[in-house]
């Protein structure tokens, strides 16, 4: 089963890290991600640009609006994601625990629905 690990960070906590500590943390994270990718567990991983570079689209009653920046103001920001393959939710959470980012925000673990199943059901 596929799971999406949504990586949220508190920028203040991350910015408080000395540069050499951040570099060591990130290097270890990248090496761990490479190992997970090599064994077929990690399917995709990306870091996102800061929220200030985002645009939010909202459509209501036939009217669309594009707003600069994120729609919601939060202390933690969505910083990236990992798409993984795991046997079940517990195994996915174990994989999430192997990444350091929960100490600087949170990691949301969410099962990925089978969109192809929906396609078949709707004959689309």
């Amino acid at each position: 089963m596929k799971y999406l690990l949504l990586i949220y960070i508190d920028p203040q906590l991350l910015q408080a890290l000395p540069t050499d500590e951040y570099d060591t943390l990130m290097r270890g994270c990248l090496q761990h991600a490479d190992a997970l990718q090599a064994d077929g567990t990690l399917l995709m991983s990306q870091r996102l640009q800061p929220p200030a570079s985002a645009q939010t689209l909202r459509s209501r009653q036939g009217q669309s609006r594009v707003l600069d920046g994120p729609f919601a103001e939060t202390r933690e920001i969505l910083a990236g994601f990992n798409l993984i393959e795991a046997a079940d939710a517990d195994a996915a959470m174990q994989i999430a625990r192997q990444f350091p980012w929960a100490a600087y925000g949170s990691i949301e673990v969410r099962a990925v629905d089978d969109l192809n199943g929906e396609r078949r059901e709707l004959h689309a």
Side-chain angles (χ1 to χ4, degrees), residues 84-96:
I84 63 168
E85 187 81 42
D88 56 30
D90 289 337
M93 188 58 72
Q94 277 303 111
I95 293 167

Side-chain angles (χ1 to χ4, degrees), residues 2 4 15 30 40 46 60 62 84 101:
K2 290 180 177 66
L4 193 61
Q15 289 168 355
L30 291 169
Q46 287 296 326
R60 300 290 186 272
I84 63 168
W101 308 118

Side-chain angles (χ1 to χ4, degrees), residues 10-106:
D10 180 334
Q12 291 179 344
L13 290 177
L14 216 49
Q15 289 168 355
L17 276 176
T19 302
D20 59 333
E21 279 185 50
Y22 174 81
D23 291 349
T24 299
L25 184 72
M26 194 64 193
R27 192 174 297 109
C29 185
L30 291 169
Q31 290 168 348
H32 180 61
D34 290 345
L36 287 174
Q37 192 167 33
D39 76 14
T41 300
L42 181 63
L43 305 176
M44 183 179 191
S45 180
Q46 287 296 326
R47 184 169 69 181
L48 299 175
Q49 291 290 316
S53 69
Q55 290 186 309
T56 300
L57 172 66
R58 297 207 84 186
S59 294
R60 300 290 186 272
Q61 301 173 338
Q63 298 290 330
S64 293
R65 286 190 326 173
V66 176
L67 306 168
D68 289 336
F71 178 70
E73 298 257 345
T74 64
R75 184 172 165 170
E76 292 180 353
I77 61 168
L78 181 59
F81 66 89
N82 295 321
L83 179 62
I84 63 168
E85 187 81 42
D88 56 30
D90 289 337
M93 188 58 72
Q94 277 303 111
I95 293 167
R97 283 188 176 98
Q98 296 170 9
F99 288 96
W101 308 118
Y104 304 95
S106 61

